[in-house]
Structures are given as C-alpha cells and as structure tokens.
C-alpha cells in the first residue's frame, strides 16, 4: 500500500526537483524560485511519508497478534460470549458497539454513555484527555494496584492520572489500549444503575396470614415470616381493661406535652395518675399475652423517654424586656432520675421480655406499625406508626422505612433457610440465586425510600430535622431508676439499625468474619436489645456450617476448578456484593443524616457508638469473597508501592537567611537591625560604608514624614548622594554576607518605592538605583518592593518583649505576638501597621505549616497512614486557628478607614499593578510562598482551570520570580509529581489489604484539611473586600470559582472503594 500512497507525492517531488536543478542549467531559475521549490518539495515528501506511515500502522495493527483487542465485531462477539452465563450481571449492548460511527479522520467516536457501560472487572474503559482507552488487559500489571483502575471504571481519569504522575512507558502502553475519541453524548450513568437491569419493585411482605398463624401462641415465627411479627402488631387499645391502660392514655399526649416541657409537671403533680401507674407492676404482667406485652413495652418506653427528654427542644421568645427572638433556643437539662411510678413498671417489662429498659429497634420499628388497609401490602403508603414522640412526618417516615425493609427481608430469611437445608449443589445454587435476588430488592427498592420527596419536592425525612430534633430524643445516655427499695444508675442504648437481626443473620450464613474484637463487643451489646426469639434464632444460625465453609470444603483439590463449583462460587460472590451494597448504603445514611448536618467527620450513632465498626465490617465483608478463576480479591496479595529508601526532599539549613525550616517560619531568619542598637552589624562596618548605611536607614525611617509632599523625599535622597557614594562600588556590595545584602535590599526597595510614589513619573536617584540593582542581582530577585521586602524581612523585635517571650513561647500567645514590630513604614497609620503585623505573625506561625509538611513528607515515604492523618489534622488546626485569628481582628477593627488609607498605600507597595491586579495580589499574599505551597502539598491547583486566562493566573505566574531562592525551591519540591497528599491518598487506595476504616481516616483528614483551606481562603477574600469594597462583586466571583474548584477536589476514597466492589460483582 505504501507505493500506492506515495506515487502522486513522488511525482510532485520529481517536478520540484526538476525545478531545483533546472536540468543542469542554473540560469533557467532564479534564486527565489529555487528556494520556494525546495520548500514545496520538502513539504510534499513529508506529507507523503506521514500518510504512508499512518496507513502502514493501521494495517499492521489490524494484523498484529500483539494487539490487545480486535475490531468492533470481534469485541462484541467476545463480550457476548462472556455474557452467556445466566449469572453475569452485565448486559452488553452489541448493537451499540457495532454502530460506532467513524469520524472524518478515521477515528472512532465514543460517547460518555458508552464508556459508562464498561465498568465490569472483565471490561474496563476509561477516559483520559478526551480519548477512550480499554485498560482491561492492564489491570493485573498496573503498578498502582488494580483497585485504583477499577475505582475509575467508566469515568474520566484525567485528574488522578495527572496527580499520580506517569512515565513515558505508561504513555506508550496507552497507545496499545486506545479505543477512540470521546464525542458529545449523554452523561455517564451512575455505577449503581449499571449493576443490573432488573426492575426494583416492592413485594410488600406477606399480605395475608394463614389460620394456623392467627391461632398460634408464637408471636415471632422467623423461618416463615422473617423478623417482623407473624401477626400485625396490636394497637394501644389492646391494653384496655388492664392496668397498663393508664400508660396507653398518655401516648397521644407525648408530642404536645413533650415539646412544651410540661410532661414532667403533668405527671409529677397528678397523684391520682401516679397511683394508677403504680399498679402496673410484676403482678399485672400475668394478665398480658405476647402481643400485649410487646405493646406495653413500647408504650411505657415512649412514656419513659418523653419524661426523660421532655423540653430539651423547646423554643421561647425570651424575657419581656428582650427583643423578639422566635429562635431563642431554650435547652433544658434532661431528667436525671426516673420516678418510681415509671421505673418499676418498665423494669418489670424489661425482665419479662429479657431486654434493657429502653426503647429499642423492636419498639420503634418491629412492633410499631399498622396497616392502613388491613389486606394491603406493607408499603410506605399503607403503613403508619403507632407510637410517636413528635408530630413530625420525618419521624414517621424514618421508622416506617425500616418496617418496609424488614418486610422485604422476609424473603432473605426464606432463602437462608433454604440454603442451609440444601442437600445438593443444584439446590444450593437455586437458594443462592434467590438470596441474591432478595438482598438486591432490599438494597434497590427499600433503602432509597428514605430519600423520597413529597409532591412539592420536600424530603419526607429531612436529614436536618432528624439530626437536630429526633436524634437528641432517642440517643443513648445514663439515667437513674428510682425504685421503692433501691435506686440504680443504668447506661441505656438508644434504638439503632444495628439492633436488627437481618445483617447478623446474613453474615452468619455467608461466613463473614468479624476480625475486630471491638466490633464483636459492640454488636454483642446491640444484640441484647433484640427480641429474645431473634437472639435464639441467630445463635442457631451461627451454630451451623456457613455457605462459605461448605464451598471451601467442596473445592476441587490441587487448585483445579470445575464448572459446577465455579458457578456456585460466582453466585456466592454475588450475594457478598449485595451485602456490600447494603452496607455502603447504610454508610450513606450515616453521612447524610449525621455527619453532613452535624458538620462532623467522625459520627456517633443513636446507639451511642462510633461508626468505625461499620467501616471495619465493610472490610470484613470484602474479605469474605471467594477467589474464582480470573477474579481479583481485595484481600489477596498484589502489587504494592515500594517504600523508597532515600528521602526525595531536601530540608534547608535553618542557618540560611531564607530557610523555611527556621525558627521564624517563612520570615527571614534574622530581624532587621536597628540604627541605635550597639550590637547592630552596621557598627562593625568600615567608617565610610557605615556612614552610607546609616544614611540609608535614616532615609527609610523618615519615609512617612518626607513622602507627604510631592518630590520632597526624592530631593532628600539626591542631597545624600555624596554620603552614599561608597555604595556605588558593586564589588563591595557583592562581598557582603547574605544577611547584610538582604537587609540592604529591604531598605533600598523601601527608599526606591518612596521616591517613585512621591515623584510620579520619575525614577529613583542614581545613588539609590545603582546599589539596588547590584544587590538585587546578588540575591536573585528583581529590584522592586515585593512581599519579601515589605513583610518577610521588614520586621524587628521589641527589646522590652524579648525577655517576656522567654516565659511563654506557645504559638499564638500574646508575648509571641508582642515581640514583633514593623521596621519601615510609608504612611505610619494604624491600618498600615495592622496589615503588616497580621502578615508578619501569619508567616512566623507558618513554621507549624512547614513542620507539618515535613512530617507528611516523611510519613508518605514510609507509608505511615497514621502520621499522614496526623499531619493533615495539624494543618487543619492551623487553618482554623488563623481563621479565628482573622475573625477577631475583623471584629475588633473598623474597616471604613481601610478602604481609604490602604489604596493610598498601594502607591508605594504595588507599583506596576493596576486596580484589576491589586486585589488578586492582596488575596494571594503577594509573592508569598505560603498559599502556593499549601495548595501544592495538598495536590490542588491554586488557580482553577476556569481562571487560566484571568489576571489571577498571571499574578500567580509573575510572583514566582519575586520569591526568595529557598522559598521557590521549597515550592518546586512540593510541586514534583507524586509529592502531594492527594497522590498519597490515590497511592494508598491502590495498595493491598488497606481496610475501609483506614481509607475513611485518610478521606476525612484530607477533606477536613481541604475544608479548612476553603475557610482560610474566604478570610483572604474578606480581607481584600475590606480594602477594596467597590470590587466586592468581582472578588466574590473570584472566590466562588476558587471555592467551587476546591470543593470539587474532595477525596471520595470510600465511594471509589464501593465502585471497586461493584466492578468485582460477578
């Protein structure tokens, strides 16, 4: 094919060559003609060679046996063959593969929707820089670990690909995996929508009971009807004719009297009612059947809780003399003692039912519902709660969602009993398929009910209402039970989903082990609140051989596999995947209903325990998967990142002037010297040079007085030119030590800026300009006043506060702040002093930032997750501390003078910056390395992509040249690929055997640090708005872009882990 392609181009080339040589006669063509002909010939030949190579490459790839994937038809055939198993959940759209349209340049156009379909562990596509790649064949060889690729299956990996950093070898491998160009199309579907094409519908539980059930004395027949009672719960009217009716009559009063705080008084002042309640003792229990016992337990439990927590959520308008404030919260302390007329009846019920004296999952869910239509299904529209603490629909919806879950879970229990009784592999396979189907329906049809909205779009169960109103009422706590002959302090556990018997039963039958002793202890404590019959059933299930043990024992010897066993293992792993789906959804409940409204990182449930046990349980569930041929397991050893032996970062010596590791953080190592100090290095200079420097210091000190009148300061400098003559010798200046040159740089920059500001349009006198240029070249920065000269080296210590500071060196202490003062000024106004002092203190305290970064660097190299988390927590605390510091300054200082005086200061400190660039300069701390270093360490771009063409981006680029040499080296070190904490999080995600709780700690620490950074940058924008109030809209838009980009960068390691579990679903 190459000669065919080359033929026309070679013809053009020969013609061009003939024009070049003119058939030997140079007079036939001019020099200009020859030159143009040569260029045309070269271009023609280059085009011909490129076309030939392109054709040859396409043909060789089509024939090469090394190509990882064939054409579209063979790819479709391969997927179809993989999909023939009835247990494979991935539905392949073969027509979509065959109808991929070709673009004009021969490339294949692929939409995001098509990429989103390839999320199975045997078929993984990703998007990188607008191109689509099939990375299935690279999963096992990926140096970062297989989970890292699976976590981004069907998604755009451009950001993590750039964060982690890849070599040229990786780029070459990408060419082999190339599929086509990404074209416009619908968005990527959610991974959950791709897991299965089955329709999620509620079955409605068991709608009718047989006569034997109605007549049975048993209330809980778990094998046939799951964990709900085998008969619908009785209402409170079932207690009529018994002493317990006294408690039942209080039920409808609970919401009104509880919220008003009058429930205590209503009971404590009604002696006749107390006498009726006292009759409900152990003797009265003999009159109750099992249904009445359960109803009495729930009724008394709700009354107890209302008495205990009555009034803690009331609101009032305050005193008559106060301004009207309808949201003045009046939180009363909960009762510390339960009176005898409630305590003794409840303890009697507790002993009878063998459950703690506290409302639990049974009294709020399992036996707290009634059908609206007695013959209808158990669905949200046909179920209501019998007992309530409030009048909120949120409470009703929260608890009856769990009722629906338990109703659908009856089919889970049925499949479990069938699987344990299966005598053949065929029977076991049938029951595993039924179990997976039942678990899938619970996850897909039941759990999303919690997030439903009404016809007006309002959530039926608001997470904020739940967190602020319902959760404080049902949370755990300690209460003293006052009895006739004794009193007893009891630790009570509030109702929790962990008290449900469903998941412990599924764990037992599937063989999910609990590796954490704390987890076992926590769940054992919850199980005490289960109905007694549930606990007996759970003990029976745990005493049987689990399905996992059965499959392990029946595995063919010597690593062989059989189709029959492989199908069983595959079906078992699908059940594990459904169980993981349930636990991930439960984790979303925790995040949405507790962590998000509470703005907390580590949640505590209504049962009183942290949710660390849930993360550990997810890890244990992942490890329960059985290995099958071609299937990866998270717990199996795989590729891990080696621990580097050598440190890749360099710690600057603290004795260097601009060391970031010094005592004063990002300030200069040595303070400016005073003209009057006997220990000043000025006193040690030779006489002419010392007199010249003393003149410079005197001019810089008199800047505020001499720069008011136009031209006055410039003239003073010109008059002093004779005394400044020794500074014109460049060799003398260059021969000075670094500290002296830096101090001279600061002084000369201030004087030069004063000359320019006081005499617009003129340059500084030569006696100032010449030494400034020499010193600037020697220190490696432009000869201009920037942040290093304005703030970082323009400070000194107050002589009187140095001794005081020795007693208290704690960061942020008043003595620490008192020892600093500004050396040179322009306006000598409080606003200028305020601006410079807060930044001097900010950069001095940045030593804690550098220390945390150094700890993080070492911890990342050692793969020490705990130390990395500690480093991020330390940074978060630093951000929050300085946000509070800025807030205190903002609150205590009037901003009206800032808007007037600070723009005047801009004539001195921001020469060359217009009104558009100046606010961005203030926002970024000028050329300070602080904000860029923090962003680089976290792996975040300081300038969002949307602002790449803005003045903000140009300011960031220009300011780098003004940074001190060691500061710039520190920043470049942090910007190296693979050096950020974001890269570390991705790196650890791809590691082997990393538990979910460890991932959660990393995710929370990183995201908390990012949130603190957002808060810190908001204070920077607040500062700029105080100075430039007329640009508040522009600055607000700038910060909105920056904040939006930062929030989009939150790590989602747990969600990525969930995606991996879904990709492994086989």
């Amino acid at each position: 094919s190459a000669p065919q392609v080359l033929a026309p181009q070679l013809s053009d080339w020969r013609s061009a060559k003939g024009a070049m040589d003119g058939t030997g006669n140079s007079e036939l063509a001019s020099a200009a003609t020859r030159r143009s002909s040569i260029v045309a010939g070269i271009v023609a030949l280059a085009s011909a060679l490129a076309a030939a190579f392109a054709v040859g490459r396409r043909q060789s790839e089509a024939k090469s046996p090394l190509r990882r994937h064939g054409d579209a038809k063979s790819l479709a055939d391969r997927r179809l063959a993989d999909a023939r198993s009835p247990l494979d959940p991935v539905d392949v759209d073969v027509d979509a593969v065959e109808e991929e349209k070709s673009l004009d340049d021969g490339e294949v156009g692929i939409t995001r929707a098509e990429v989103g379909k390839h999320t199975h562990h045997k078929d993984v596509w990703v998007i990188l820089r607008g191109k689509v790649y099939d990375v299935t064949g690279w999963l096992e060889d990926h140096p970062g670990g297989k989970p890292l690729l699976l976590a981004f299956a069907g998604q755009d990996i451009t950001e993590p690909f750039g964060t982690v950093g890849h070599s040229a070898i990786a780029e070459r491998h990408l060419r082999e995996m190339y599929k086509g160009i990404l074209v416009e199309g619908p968005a990527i579907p959610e991974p959950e929508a791709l897991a299965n094409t089955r329709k999620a519908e509620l079955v409605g539980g068991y709608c009718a009971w047989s006569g034997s059930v109605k007549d049975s004395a048993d209330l809980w027949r778990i094998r046939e009807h799951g964990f709900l009672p085998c008969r619908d719960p009785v209402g409170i009217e079932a207690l009529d004719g018994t002493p317990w009716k006294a408690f039942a009559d209080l039920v409808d009063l609970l919401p009104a009297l509880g919220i008003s705080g009058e429930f205590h008084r209503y009971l404590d002042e009604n002696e006749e009612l107390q006498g009726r309640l006292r009759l409900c003792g152990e003797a009265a229990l003999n009159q109750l059947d099992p249904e009445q016992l359960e109803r009495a337990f729930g009724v008394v439990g709700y009354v107890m809780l209302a008495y205990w927590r009555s009034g803690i959520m009331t609101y009032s308008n305050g005193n008559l003399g106060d301004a009207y404030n309808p949201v003045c919260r009046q939180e009363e302390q909960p009762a510390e003692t339960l009176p005898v007329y409630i305590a003794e009846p409840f303890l009697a019920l507790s002993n009878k039912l063998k459950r703690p004296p506290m409302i639990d999952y049974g009294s709020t869910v399992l036996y707290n519902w009634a059908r609206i239509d007695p013959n209808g299904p158990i669905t949200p529209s046909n179920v209501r709660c019998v007992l309530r603490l409030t009048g909120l629909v949120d409470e009703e919806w929260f608890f009856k969602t769990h009722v629906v879950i338990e109703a659908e879970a009856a089919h889970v229990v049925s499949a479990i009993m069938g699987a344990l009784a299966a005598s053949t592999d065929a029977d076991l396979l049938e029951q595993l398929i039924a179990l997976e189907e039942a678990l899938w329906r619970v996850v897909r049809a039941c759990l999303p009910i919690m997030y439903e909205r009404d016809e007006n779009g309002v959530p039926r169960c608001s997470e904020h209402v739940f967190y602020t109103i319902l959760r404080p009422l049902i949370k755990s706590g300690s209460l003293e039970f006052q009895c006739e002959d004794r009193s007893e302090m009891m630790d009570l556990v509030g109702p929790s989903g962990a008290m449900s018997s469903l998941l412990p039963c599924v764990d037992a039958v599937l063989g999910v082990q609990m590796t954490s002793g704390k987890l076992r202890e926590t769940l054992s404590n919850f199980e005490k609140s289960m109905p007694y019959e549930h606990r007996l059933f759970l003990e029976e299930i745990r005493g049987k051989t689990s399905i996992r043990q059965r499959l392990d024992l029946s595995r063919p010897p010597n690593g062989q596999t059989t189709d029959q066993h492989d199908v069983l293992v595959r079906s078992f792993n699908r059940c594990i995947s459904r169980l993981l789906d349930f636990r991930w959804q439960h984790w979303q409940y925790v995040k949405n209903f507790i962590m998000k409204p509470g703005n907390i990182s580590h949640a505590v449930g209504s049962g009183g325990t942290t949710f660390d046990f849930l993360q550990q349980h997810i890890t244990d569930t992942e490890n329960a998967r059985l290995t099958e041929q071609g299937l990866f397991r998270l717990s199996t050893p795989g590729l891990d990142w080696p621990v580097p032996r050598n440190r890749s970062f360099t710690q600057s010596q603290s004795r260097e002037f601009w060391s970031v590791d010094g005592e004063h953080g990002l300030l200069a190592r040595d303070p400016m010297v005073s003209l009057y100090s006997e220990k000043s290095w000025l006193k040690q200079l030779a006489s002419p040079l010392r007199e010249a420097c003393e003149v410079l210091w005197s001019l810089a000190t008199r800047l505020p007085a001499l720069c008011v009148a136009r031209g006055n300061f410039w003239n003073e400098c010109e008059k002093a030119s004779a005394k400044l003559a020794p500074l014109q010798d460049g060799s003398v200046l260059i021969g000075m030590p670094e500290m002296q040159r830096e101090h001279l740089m600061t002084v000369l920059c201030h004087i030069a800026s004063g000359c320019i500001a006081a005499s617009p349009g003129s340059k500084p006198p030569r006696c100032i300009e010449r030494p400034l240029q020499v010193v600037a070249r020697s220190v490696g920065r432009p000869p201009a006043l920037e942040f290093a000269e304005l703030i970082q080296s323009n400070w000194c210590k107050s002589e009187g506060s140095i001794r005081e500071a020795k007693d208290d060196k704690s960061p942020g202490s008043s003595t620490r702040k008192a020892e600093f003062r500004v050396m040179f000024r322009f306006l000598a106004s409080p606003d200028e002093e305020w601006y410079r002092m807060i930044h001097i203190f900010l950069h001095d305290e940045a030593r804690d930032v550098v220390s945390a970064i150094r700890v993080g660097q070492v911890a990342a190299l050692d793969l020490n997750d705990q130390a990395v988390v500690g480093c991020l927590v330390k940074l978060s605390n630093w951000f929050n501390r300085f946000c509070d510091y800025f807030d205190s300054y903002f609150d205590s200082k009037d901003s009206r003078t800032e808007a007037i005086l600070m723009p005047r200061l801009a004539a001195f400190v921001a020469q060359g910056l217009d009104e558009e660039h100046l606010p961005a300069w203030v926002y970024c701390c000028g050329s300070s390395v602080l904000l860029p270093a923090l962003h680089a360490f976290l792996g975040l771009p300081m300038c969002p992509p949307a602002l790449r063409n803005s003045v903000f981006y140009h300011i960031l680029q220009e300011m780098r040249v003004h940074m001190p040499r060691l500061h710039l080296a520190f920043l470049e070190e942090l910007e190296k690929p693979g050096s950020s904490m974001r890269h570390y999080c991705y790196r650890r995600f791809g590691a082997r055997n990393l538990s979910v709780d460890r991932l959660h700690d990393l995710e929370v620490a990183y995201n908390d640090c990012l949130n603190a950074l957002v808060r810190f940058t908001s204070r920077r924008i607040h500062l700029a708005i105080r100075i430039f109030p007329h640009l508040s809209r522009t600055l607000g838009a700038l910060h909105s872009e920056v904040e939006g980009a930062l929030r989009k960068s939150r790590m989602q390691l747990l969600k990525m882990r969930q995606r991996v579990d879904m990709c492994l679903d086989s």
Side-chain angles (χ1 to χ4, degrees):
S1 61
Q4 296 175 359
V5 176
L6 283 173
Q9 283 81 3
L10 291 176
S11 177
D12 295 340
W13 167 255
R14 294 190 185 96
S15 300
K17 185 177 184 301
M20 279 189 288
D21 57 20
T23 62
N25 188 358
S26 60
E27 289 80 13
L28 296 179
S30 64
T33 302
R34 287 197 299 271
R35 284 194 299 271
S36 63
S37 300
I38 290 172
V39 173
I42 293 173
V43 171
L45 182 59
S47 300
L49 292 174
F53 289 145
V55 172
R57 177 177 58 84
R58 287 196 292 268
Q59 292 183 353
S60 63
E61 287 180 351
K63 299 176 181 179
S64 174
L66 298 178
R67 193 180 184 194
R68 293 185 178 268
H69 302 292
D71 55 15
K73 182 170 177 51
S74 63
L75 179 60
D77 292 339
R78 178 172 57 84
R79 290 190 199 151
L80 191 58
D82 290 342
R84 284 172 184 162
S85 170
L87 300 181
D88 199 327
V90 179
D91 294 320
V92 181
D93 188 355
V94 180
D95 295 333
V97 179
E98 293 178 345
E99 292 176 4
E100 290 174 347
K101 60 180 181 180
S102 297
L103 304 182
D104 295 338
D105 58 357
E107 300 285 358
V108 176
I110 305 175
T111 64
R112 289 183 181 270
E114 172 61 22
V115 177
K117 295 177 182 178
H118 300 271
T119 58
H120 193 261
H121 70 275
K122 295 181 180 178
D123 184 21
V124 179
W125 289 15
V126 294
I127 301 169
L128 177 63
R129 298 190 288 261
K131 296 181 180 180
V132 179
Y133 298 90
D134 183 348
V135 298
T136 310
W138 186 245
L139 291 176
E140 302 297 338
D141 300 327
H142 185 229
K146 185 174 182 178
L148 194 56
L149 281 180
L150 291 178
F152 291 97
Q155 300 184 50
D156 195 323
I157 64 169
T158 303
E159 185 273 327
F161 187 89
T163 298
V164 173
H166 288 77
S167 63
I169 298 177
E171 298 284 352
R172 288 199 297 271
H173 283 303
L174 279 173
R175 300 193 197 107
E176 302 174 2
M177 296 178 271
Y178 177 71
K179 295 296 296 182
I181 294 289
L182 182 69
V183 296
E184 292 298 326
I188 300 177
E190 286 295 320
E192 291 81 357
L194 300 173
N196 214 298
T197 58
R198 292 172 289 187
K199 189 174 182 181
E201 292 181 342
L202 294 176
V203 176
Y206 292 96
C207 301
W209 313 118
S210 63
S212 62
V213 171
K214 292 181 180 179
D215 300 334
S216 172
D218 296 331
L219 179 60
W220 309 96
R221 299 185 62 170
I222 301 170
R223 289 168 176 79
E224 295 85 4
H225 297 283
F227 296 108
L228 289 182
C230 64
R231 294 181 293 276
D232 285 16
V234 297
I236 58 174
E237 66 278 1
L239 299 179
D240 292 350
T242 71
W244 304 93
K245 186 178 185 301
F247 280 100
D249 292 340
L250 297 173
V251 167
D252 291 338
L253 300 176
L254 296 183
L257 296 182
I259 192 68
S260 65
E262 298 177 1
F263 196 61
H264 295 118
R265 190 180 356 163
Y266 181 81
L267 293 182
D268 294 340
E269 297 178 358
N270 194 332
E271 295 183 1
E272 187 272 335
L273 176 59
Q274 293 177 22
R276 292 167 53 202
L277 296 177
R278 287 174 182 268
L279 297 177
C280 302
E282 293 184 5
L285 294 178
N286 299 326
Q287 306 176 25
L288 305 182
D289 59 26
E291 281 92 343
Q292 291 174 318
L293 279 172
E294 281 292 344
R295 177 52 62 222
F297 185 84
V299 166
V300 178
Y302 270 75
V303 171
M304 179 275 288
L305 201 64
Y307 187 93
W308 184 12
R309 301 269 167 76
S310 174
I312 64 171
M313 298 304 297
T314 60
Y315 293 81
S316 71
N317 298 333
N319 298 325
L320 293 176
D322 297 337
Y324 178 72
N325 182 12
V327 292
C328 179
R329 198 175 200 171
Q330 191 181 54
E331 293 193 7
E332 298 183 2
Q333 294 296 325
E336 298 179 354
T337 303
L338 192 66
V340 63
Y341 55 83
I342 300 177
E344 287 197 341
F346 202 18
L347 288 174
L349 283 167
S350 171
N351 294 331
K352 181 70 174 180
L353 293 176
K354 302 178 182 179
R355 282 148 64 182
M358 175 67 174
I359 65 167
D360 50 26
Y361 189 78
S363 54
T364 56
V365 175
L366 300 179
Y367 211 80
N368 188 32
W369 58 277
R371 300 181 206 249
I372 298 173
D373 178 3
N375 297 318
I378 301 178
T379 61
S381 60
N382 194 45
V383 171
R384 65 176 180 85
C385 289
V386 177
L387 304 175
R388 301 177 186 84
L389 287 168
T390 71
L392 298 170
V393 69
D394 308 80
E395 178 189 1
E396 173 101 355
W397 195 263
F398 181 82
F399 287 125
K400 74 180 184 180
T401 297
H402 289 82
V403 174
V404 174
I405 292 173
E406 295 292 344
E408 295 295 327
H411 302 282
V412 175
V413 178
S414 177
I416 285 175
M417 299 309 300
L420 293 177
S423 58
T424 66
D425 287 348
D427 292 340
L428 178 59
L429 177 61
E430 180 182 355
Q431 295 303 323
L432 283 174
I433 293 174
L435 176 59
E436 191 273 336
E437 177 75 22
L439 285 171
W440 177 86
R441 188 179 295 107
V442 170
V443 173
R444 300 296 178 184
C446 298
L447 297 185
I449 293 175
M450 189 69 75
Y451 301 105
E452 281 192 11
R453 296 172 177 265
D454 61 18
E455 58 277 3
N456 298 319
V458 179
R460 297 186 188 274
C461 181
S462 166
E463 60 266 24
H464 297 284
V465 172
F466 171 82
Y467 183 81
T468 59
I469 298 179
L470 182 58
R471 186 169 178 266
L473 294 176
I474 63 175
K475 67 180 181 179
S476 303
S478 298
L479 182 65
E480 182 180 3
F481 282 68
Q482 187 71 43
C483 300
E484 292 287 355
D485 55 348
R486 71 187 191 283
S487 63
E488 182 179 0
M489 180 65 70
M490 303 188 70
D491 295 327
L492 304 176
V493 179
S496 169
M499 297 174 182
S500 170
S501 306
L502 174 60
L503 289 190
C505 181
V506 176
D507 285 339
V509 76
L510 293 180
V512 176
Q513 300 295 323
M514 288 178 286
T515 59
S516 169
K518 180 182 178 182
L519 174 59
R520 288 192 297 271
E521 180 183 354
T522 300
L523 295 183
S524 177
N525 191 38
F526 282 135
E527 288 176 8
K528 296 177 183 178
S529 298
M530 294 178 181
Y532 182 67
E533 292 78 4
H534 288 202
R535 281 177 272 164
L536 293 178
F537 177 78
L538 193 53
E539 290 177 8
E540 178 185 347
I541 295 297
R542 288 171 175 166
K544 296 181 179 295
T545 301
S546 70
I547 299 176
R548 192 177 193 277
Q549 291 173 327
R550 176 174 174 174
L551 294 179
D552 267 339
L553 293 173
S554 63
R555 185 181 296 275
N558 301 326
Q560 300 175 2
T561 59
T562 62
D563 293 340
Q564 185 176 7
H565 187 270
D566 190 59
V567 168
L568 285 172
V569 170
R570 237 179 124 159
S571 185
F572 172 83
N573 284 342
R574 293 194 69 196
C575 293
I576 293 294
S577 296
R578 298 290 79 78
L579 183 57
L580 277 171
D581 285 347
F582 193 108
R583 290 207 157 100
W584 282 117
Q585 291 283 4
H586 187 194
W587 176 244
Q588 291 301 319
Y589 277 7
V590 173
K591 293 182 68 175
N592 292 328
F593 284 87
I594 299 179
M595 298 173 69
K596 179 181 175 183
N599 194 25
I600 53 180
S601 302
H602 294 274
V604 178
S606 57
T609 58
T610 65
F611 283 96
D612 296 339
F613 79 90
L614 180 58
Q615 302 155 16
Q616 180 61 46
H617 220 158
I618 291 175
T619 302
D620 292 338
T621 307
E622 290 174 338
N623 293 337
R625 274 197 176 101
L626 289 171
T627 55
E628 58 179 281
Q629 190 172 7
L631 179 63
F632 167 80
R633 234 181 73 192
L634 284 175
S635 61
T636 57
L639 291 172
D640 205 347
W641 297 66
V643 180
R645 294 184 178 180
N646 298 322
R647 303 289 186 234
S648 62
F649 62 90
T650 55
Q651 187 167 352
S652 57
Q653 297 294 327
S654 59
R655 63 176 179 272
E656 298 189 51
F657 189 80
W658 286 113
S659 170
V660 298
D661 301 289
E663 176 188 359
H664 296 295
L666 297 180
L667 294 180
R669 180 197 63 188
D670 300 303
M672 285 293 297
V673 295
S674 170
L675 190 62
Y676 310 104
S677 174
E678 293 298 329
K679 297 181 179 179
S680 169
W681 57 266
L682 295 174
K683 303 296 184 180
Q684 303 173 9
L685 296 176
S687 180
L689 189 57
R690 183 181 68 248
E691 293 176 0
C693 290
E694 289 175 350
V695 170
L696 282 181
W697 257 249
S698 176
L699 287 171
T701 304
R702 292 184 294 157
L703 273 168
L706 298 177
C707 287
V708 178
R710 181 182 178 89
N712 191 25
F713 185 69
W714 197 97
N715 294 332
E716 287 294 323
C717 294
E718 185 65 28
K719 291 178 183 177
S721 58
K723 295 182 179 180
L724 298 176
L727 298 176
Q728 304 302 310
D729 187 352
S731 60
V732 173
L733 298 177
I734 295 174
M736 287 183 169
E738 181 187 20
M739 179 192 68
Q740 298 178 7
R741 285 183 282 119
E742 287 288 354
H743 285 177
L744 276 177
M745 177 78 173
T746 300
V747 175
L748 289 168
C749 283
H750 275 79
I751 295 174
S753 295
C755 291
I756 296 173
S759 302
S762 62
K763 299 192 300 182
R766 181 170 177 78
C767 62
I768 300 297
E769 186 180 25
R770 166 64 180 171
L772 175 59
Q773 291 177 346
V774 173
V775 173
R777 283 197 299 269
S778 70
V779 299
R781 299 196 300 277
L785 182 69
E786 245 299 327
F787 204 81
E789 296 77 29
L790 184 71
I791 301 292
Q792 292 169 294
S793 65
N794 184 33
W795 62 278
C796 60
K797 293 185 177 181
S798 301
E799 296 294 336
S801 66
I802 294 178
R803 291 188 299 272
E804 299 171 5
K806 292 180 181 178
D807 299 330
D808 185 5
K809 286 290 184 178
S810 59
S813 64
S814 58
T815 56
R816 180 85 190 176
K817 288 183 284 186
E819 67 180 76
F820 294 106
R821 67 180 180 87
V822 179
M823 186 67 184
F824 302 118
R825 307 163 182 83
F826 290 113
L827 302 180
S829 70
D831 299 279
E832 179 186 11
E833 199 79 2
W834 166 77
Y835 179 83
R836 295 207 198 199
M837 278 304 303
I838 62 174
H839 285 90
I840 289 175
F841 181 52
L842 174 70
H843 286 74
D844 175 68
E845 291 290 316
R847 66 186 179 278
D848 294 337
V849 171
V850 178
S851 173
I853 289 176
R854 295 304 192 197
V855 170
Q857 287 176 318
V858 175
L861 291 173
D862 294 338
L863 300 182
N864 188 338
D865 298 329
Q866 186 176 1
V868 167
V869 169
C871 148
L872 294 172
V873 169
K874 186 176 181 180
L875 282 181
S876 300
N877 293 338
W878 187 90
F879 282 131
N880 292 324
R881 181 158 56 92
F882 259 95
C883 287
D884 296 338
Y885 175 75
F886 275 114
D887 289 343
S888 65
Y889 264 94
F890 293 156
D891 292 341
S892 62
K893 188 179 183 305
D894 193 338
S895 65
R896 288 173 292 183
T897 56
E898 295 170 27
I900 299 173
L901 295 177
M902 294 302 288
R904 296 180 184 174
L905 182 64
F908 297 91
V909 304
Q911 295 165 352
L913 296 179
D914 55 23
E915 191 180 56
E916 189 178 10
H917 289 74
L918 189 56
W921 185 86
V922 173
Y923 175 80
C924 300
C925 291
S927 59
S928 168
V929 76
L930 178 60
L931 275 177
L934 286 167
H935 281 75
F937 181 66
L938 294 176
L940 304 169
M942 189 167 175
C943 181
L947 299 177
R948 286 297 169 87
N949 296 323
S950 66
V951 297
F952 181 54
Y953 178 75
H954 295 302
I955 282 288
L956 293 176
Q957 298 303 311
E958 293 171 3
M959 291 302 104
R960 296 174 75 98
V961 301
H962 294 277
M963 291 182 185
R965 175 179 51 84
L966 290 180
H967 288 198
L968 183 58
F970 177 59
L971 177 59
E972 291 173 345
E973 169 194 325
L974 297 176
E975 290 175 338
K976 291 178 181 178
S979 301
S980 69
M981 290 294 99
R982 191 173 186 82
H983 168 266
Y984 179 82
C985 290
Y986 283 134
R987 173 183 179 183
R988 295 300 289 149
F989 180 85
R992 62 187 180 186
N993 291 338
L994 197 64
S995 62
V996 174
D997 56 333
R998 188 72 61 84
L999 283 178
H1000 172 259
D1001 291 342
L1002 285 174
E1003 177 184 310
V1004 167
Y1006 183 88
N1007 289 340
D1008 282 353
C1009 192
L1010 191 146
N1011 292 337
L1013 175 61
V1014 170
R1015 187 176 175 222
F1016 182 77
T1017 55
S1018 71
R1019 300 314 188 271
R1020 297 298 311 172
I1021 210 70
H1022 188 185
L1023 174 64
I1025 290 175
R1026 286 170 66 101
I1027 298 174
F1028 308 102
H1030 60 291
L1031 298 176
S1032 59
R1033 181 173 298 180
T1034 302
L1035 291 169
L1038 167 66
H1039 182 62
S1040 295
E1041 288 287 345
V1042 174
E1043 181 180 359
L1046 289 176
R1047 294 198 183 279
K1048 288 180 182 178
S1049 300
R1050 292 171 58 89
M1051 295 298 299
Q1052 294 183 323
L1053 298 178
L1054 294 186
K1055 190 171 184 179
M1056 290 163 58
R1057 184 64 164 262
Q1058 186 179 5
R1059 292 190 190 121
V1060 174
D1061 290 333
M1062 296 182 64
C1063 290
L1064 294 176
D1065 186 6
S1066 56

